[in-house]
Every structure is written in structure tokens, then in C-alpha cells.
């Protein structure tokens, strides 16, 4: 009888831990969307569909290709990236889109000014820094899921006129897509929860 009660108590505790963990993830994402600094990034489509999840747009940004010469702290003799985080400093351009102005492996040496923000990406191992002119960080904002049947039409529109993504960036550099923009028009906005 005591074994059955212990089993039930263990199952309830495990369920509460799982619910708490999921709630923590959702609340963290919502906090970035609600409180993060908003930037507008110019996008270009890459791929419109995921067979298991439906329509999505795979997005590339101007900041998806960082010139190696923009990275200020590449150690002498370092030939390849080693699966490391990269901090990319962004500043708003005259056209309203934010662009990379500097980058560092690991951490930025100083906080961003009030008219700048830092986004943290990840550079996979294998980039030859002595031969490459650019590297391609992954910021975790490269996919945007859409209602079924709308991905291909939006991808086609992206090829003929400028689209943007409004991104919320937390103080630690974590980013979340807030909205997909067609010029000044908001096409889709992510809910907080």
C-alpha cells in the first residue's frame, strides 16, 4: 500500500516539475517579447515549408552574414571557430533597419550605447577564419511559422518587395521574433503566450 502512495506522490511531483519547467520557458519568451528592445531587420526568404509543422518562412537577414573583419577579438593564429557564441552590435540605419556595426566572440568588451543593442548568436564549428570573408551566426530567429497555405505566397511577395521582421532583444542578447512586416504593414504578430 505504501509503495502505491509513493508512486502516486512521485508522479505528481514529476508532473509539477515538468509544468513548472514549461511555464518557465514560456514566461521567459513572453518577457523578451514584452520587455525586449525592438529592432527591425531586413529579411530574405530561404525556404517555405516544413513537412511536419506546415508553412513557415526560413529567414535570412543582413546580420546573417557577418564580415570576419568586423569581429574585433579574433586571437592571433586562430584559424577556425570552435562552436562559440558571438555578440553582434546593432545600430539603426537611416532606412529604419538595424545593421551590424561590430562583433565579438564570447562577450562584448563594453555595454551597448542607448542607440545600439547587442544580439547574441552562435557560430557552428568549422569556419576557417583565415580564409572566410564572412561567417553565418544562428540567432534562433531564422524560422517564422505561418497559417497553413500562406508561406509560399508570402515567400513570392518577399522576392518583389522589401519585408522585415520586428525582433525583441533581451538585455542578455536573446532574441525573439515579434512580428512579420510587409513594409509598414504588420502581417503576423506573435502573441505573448
Amino acid at each position: 500500500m505504501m509503495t502505491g502512495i509513493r508512486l502516486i506522490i512521485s508522479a505528481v511531483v514529476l508532473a509539477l516539475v515538468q509544468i513548472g519547467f514549461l511555464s518557465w520557458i514560456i514566461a521567459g519568451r513572453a518577457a523578451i517579447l514584452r520587455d525586449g528592445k525592438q529592432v527591425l531587420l531586413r529579411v530574405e526568404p530561404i525556404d517555405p515549408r516544413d513537412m511536419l509543422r506546415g508553412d513557415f518562412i526560413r529567414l535570412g537577414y543582413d546580420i546573417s552574414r557577418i564580415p570576419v573583419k568586423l569581429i574585433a577579438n579574433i586571437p592571433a593564429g586562430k584559424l577556425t571557430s570552435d562552436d562559440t557564441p558571438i555578440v553582434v552590435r546593432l545600430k539603426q540605419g537611416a532606412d529604419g533597419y538595424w545593421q551590424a556595426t561590430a562583433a565579438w566572440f564570447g562577450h562584448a568588451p563594453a555595454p551597448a550605447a542607448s542607440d545600439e543593442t547587442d544580439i547574441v548568436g552562435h557560430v557552428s564549428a568549422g569556419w576557417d577564419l583565415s580564409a572566410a570573408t564572412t561567417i553565418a551566426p544562428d540567432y534562433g530567429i531564422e524560422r517564422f511559422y505561418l497559417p497553413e497555405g500562406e508561406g509560399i505566397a508570402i515567400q513570392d511577395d518577399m522576392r518583389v518587395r522589401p519585408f522585415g521582421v520586428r525582433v525583441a532583444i533581451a538585455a542578455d542578447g536573446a532574441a525573439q521574433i515579434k512580428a512579420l512586416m510587409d513594409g509598414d504593414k504588420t502581417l503576423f504578430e506573435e502573441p505573448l503566450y
Side-chain angles (χ1 to χ4, degrees), residues 112-164:
S114 62
D115 64 339
E116 299 174 321
T117 193
D118 291 339
I119 186 170
V120 174
H122 192 76
V123 179
S124 60
W127 286 93
D128 183 349
L129 299 175
S130 64
T133 57
T134 63
I135 59 170
D138 181 354
Y139 302 101
I141 54 172
E142 285 73 24
R143 285 185 176 200
F144 188 79
Y145 287 89
L146 300 162
E148 188 67 33
E150 297 191 26
I152 292 174
I154 290 175
Q155 178 189 7
D156 292 342
D157 288 345
M158 284 183 165
R159 297 191 191 290
V160 295
R161 64 181 184 269
F163 275 66

Side-chain angles (χ1 to χ4, degrees), residues 50-54:
D50 181 329
M51 295 304 285
L52 298 176
R53 294 186 179 168

Side-chain angles (χ1 to χ4, degrees), residues 38-43 57 59 97 144 146 154 157-158 161-167 177-189:
Q38 291 188 41
V39 302
L40 181 64
L41 300 174
R42 184 184 328 273
V43 297
I57 302 172
L59 303 168
Y97 292 102
F144 188 79
L146 300 162
I154 290 175
D157 288 345
M158 284 183 165
R161 64 181 184 269
F163 275 66
V165 169
R166 200 168 352 115
V167 175
I177 294 176
K178 192 164 178 114
L180 177 64
M181 310 291 294
D182 181 356
D184 292 338
K185 179 183 172 193
T186 300
L187 292 179
F188 297 99
E189 191 157 9

